[in-house]
Amino acid sequence: MTQLPAVFTERTRLLMGDERFERYLKSFEEEVPVSIRLNPSKRLEVRGERLEVRDGEQVPWCREGYYLKQRPNFTFDPLFHAGCYYVQEAASMFLDEVLRQIVGDCPCCEERSGLQRDSPPRALDLCAAPGGKSTLLRAALPEDCMLYSNEPIRNRASILLENVTKWGYPNHIVTNAYPKDYRKSKMKFDLIVCDVPCSGEGMFRKDPATIGEWSPQQVEKCRQLQREIVSDAWACLSDGGLLIYSTCTFNTKENEENIRWICSEFDAEVVPVSTKPEWNITGSLLEGFDEPVCRFIPGISRGEGLFLCVLRKEMRNEKLEMRNGRAAKGNHGDCPRCEKRSGLQGDCPRDLHLPKAETLYENLPQVELSYQEAMKFLRGEALMLPADSPCGIVEVCFWGHPLGQVKNIGSRANNLYPKPWRIKTTHIPTDYEAILRHT
């Protein structure tokens, strides 16, 4: 049986109440749900027939989300590496429902706001690694919206870049910067997602290692860091813009008390999000705080722990006048590194550039690979392409979906797949259909 810290148990039982807490404890004896989210731009077809998730059950709050009956080894599925779907915890997919309800209520939407824009809307995922919420954002936001996905920690930013690249959408920039760098840049965004670092209480069931990292001191440290991040983010938010605040923890210090602080400090307005009773989403657990917030609790809602709240920045009258006549103040060009275009001052966020093999070549000839060949490519091995394959840079595909590039010199095709992305396993299954049966 999972041993939880005594202080955590005492505090959380008091917070949730006996009934909720007992249901939460019972969830540790249950299977952790496995869920994936399909990429709507990479529909899967075989001989003209669209493939569906086999034996999957749709995640009710996400249009492309599905629960799987069991967890396959995703490493052995080339379609996973091609970005055809993303493995994501179901509660985190609630962002899709939130966006469906609020995007039209954001100043980036001309139809709802009545504002005329001289430049495309912009969104920022400030703490984005490994990329689950960013890839969901990019698929759900308007096509012309420029999305910036940022991660301060360099090695995590590299993982974010890989997942964003494989997801394959335009108008998506990955940066490696601290929130304060964005604040100094004077950039403005219509929508900012702050999935802030937290004490991780909601991940105890999924990742038992997080239990040993928890302490009351860590909760307090996270609370302070979260307020610093939100302060920097709020300075980057356009007037009338929306900020989505989320954590994967239960306690009120990092959740309701921070929301109350944001409302008091920045005169923010909490925006309600509608939910259905059958989703079993819990509201505020802080006495005397009745603002509409959403909390997922394992054993009650079908997913891991999540807290989410949407806040709006006050719209000033002078800002409305400016936006009706010309570009909003601070609504700079799309390139965060080009001062002439953007008018940025101070330290600009540092771009993480895509690997050369992904950026130098367009409209390449394509060669379809078998399953075994695709797995060899993903391991970084050289390939032998069909004799009629053109020489030079060639894009290799599996089921019509690009995996990456090779340089075909005739006698062999040298592998250009980025080394950090290559899979390390030496064993390759022979039956791809067995993989498909679970996805």
Side-chain angles (χ1 to χ4, degrees), residues 241-256:
L242 298 172
L243 183 142
I244 300 175
Y245 177 92
S246 64
T247 72
C248 58
T249 204
F250 301 131
N251 68 79
T252 59
K253 288 182 178 292
E254 299 175 69
N255 294 327
E256 285 94 340

Side-chain angles (χ1 to χ4, degrees), residues 89-389:
E89 192 277 311
S92 296
M93 298 184 198
F94 184 62
L95 180 60
D96 185 63
E97 176 66 28
V98 173
L99 291 170
R100 199 176 341 186
Q101 295 186 33
I102 71 168
V103 163
D105 211 19
C106 181
C108 65
C109 179
E110 295 180 20
E111 182 180 351
R112 291 288 294 273
S113 66
L115 304 180
Q116 296 178 354
R117 301 189 58 94
D118 292 339
S119 60
R122 292 198 296 194
L124 170 64
D125 188 357
L126 195 53
C127 310
K133 289 185 175 65
S134 273
T135 53
L136 190 155
L137 277 165
R138 182 58 280 169
L141 289 171
E143 289 183 9
D144 67 336
C145 178
M146 180 65 71
L147 174 61
Y148 289 74
S149 293
N150 178 69
E151 172 54 46
I153 302 172
R154 182 76 187 188
N155 64 334
R156 285 173 55 82
S158 297
I159 297 170
L160 171 65
L161 176 64
E162 176 184 352
N163 288 326
V164 164
T165 303
K166 291 177 176 179
W167 200 243
Y169 278 70
N171 295 334
H172 200 166
I173 296 173
V174 172
T175 60
N176 172 217
Y178 288 102
K180 65 180 180 181
D181 296 326
Y182 267 94
R183 183 172 190 162
K184 291 177 183 178
S185 77
K186 308 296 183 183
M187 297 177 75
K188 293 293 182 181
F189 297 88
D190 301 292
L191 173 69
I192 299 179
V193 175
C194 285
D195 186 35
V196 291
C198 67
S199 58
E201 297 167 355
M203 293 292 108
F204 284 179
R205 179 175 70 154
K206 182 180 177 182
D207 184 6
T210 58
I211 298 174
E213 299 170 359
W214 185 91
S215 69
Q217 294 77 18
Q218 182 68 8
V219 170
E220 181 61 28
K221 181 180 177 180
C222 289
R223 183 179 73 93
Q224 294 295 339
L225 175 61
Q226 290 154 0
R227 294 188 178 189
E228 292 174 12
I229 291 172
V230 170
S231 296
D232 290 328
W234 203 259
C236 299
L237 192 62
S238 299
D239 288 347
L242 298 172
L243 183 142
I244 300 175
Y245 177 92
S246 64
T247 72
C248 58
T249 204
F250 301 131
N251 68 79
T252 59
K253 288 182 178 292
E254 299 175 69
N255 294 327
E256 285 94 340
E257 291 178 44
N258 269 351
I259 299 302
R260 185 168 60 186
W261 176 82
I262 295 169
C263 292
S264 173
E265 185 76 8
F266 303 112
D267 198 23
E269 172 196 359
V270 175
V271 178
V273 175
S274 300
T275 63
K276 296 182 178 180
E278 59 267 28
W279 297 351
N280 296 316
I281 296 174
T282 305
S284 174
L285 293 179
L286 178 63
E287 186 175 354
F289 184 83
D290 298 321
E291 294 287 1
V293 300
C294 299
R295 181 187 266 99
F296 285 70
I297 301 174
I300 297 175
S301 43
R302 195 175 175 189
E304 303 310 301
L306 174 78
F307 175 91
L308 186 144
C309 181
V310 181
L311 302 115
R312 185 195 305 279
K313 190 172 186 177
E314 181 183 11
M315 175 71 83
R316 299 198 305 266
N317 290 333
E318 58 267 29
K319 185 72 174 229
L320 275 168
E321 294 170 3
M322 293 182 68
R323 295 179 82 112
N324 277 316
R326 58 188 183 276
K329 181 180 180 182
N331 195 16
H332 306 304
D334 286 333
C335 177
R337 302 189 67 176
C338 179
E339 293 183 9
K340 290 183 180 180
R341 284 188 59 199
S342 64
L344 302 182
Q345 298 176 356
D347 297 328
C348 297
R350 301 182 299 280
D351 282 345
L352 279 178
H353 294 294
L354 300 177
K356 290 182 180 179
E358 298 290 329
T359 56
L360 291 182
Y361 312 108
E362 296 180 357
N363 301 318
L364 294 173
Q366 295 184 336
V367 173
E368 184 74 13
L369 301 181
S370 68
Y371 175 65
Q372 292 296 319
E373 289 170 333
M375 293 306 298
K376 288 180 180 179
F377 172 77
L378 294 170
R379 283 171 50 179
E381 298 178 17
L383 300 176
M384 282 292 296
L385 299 184
D388 59 349
S389 301

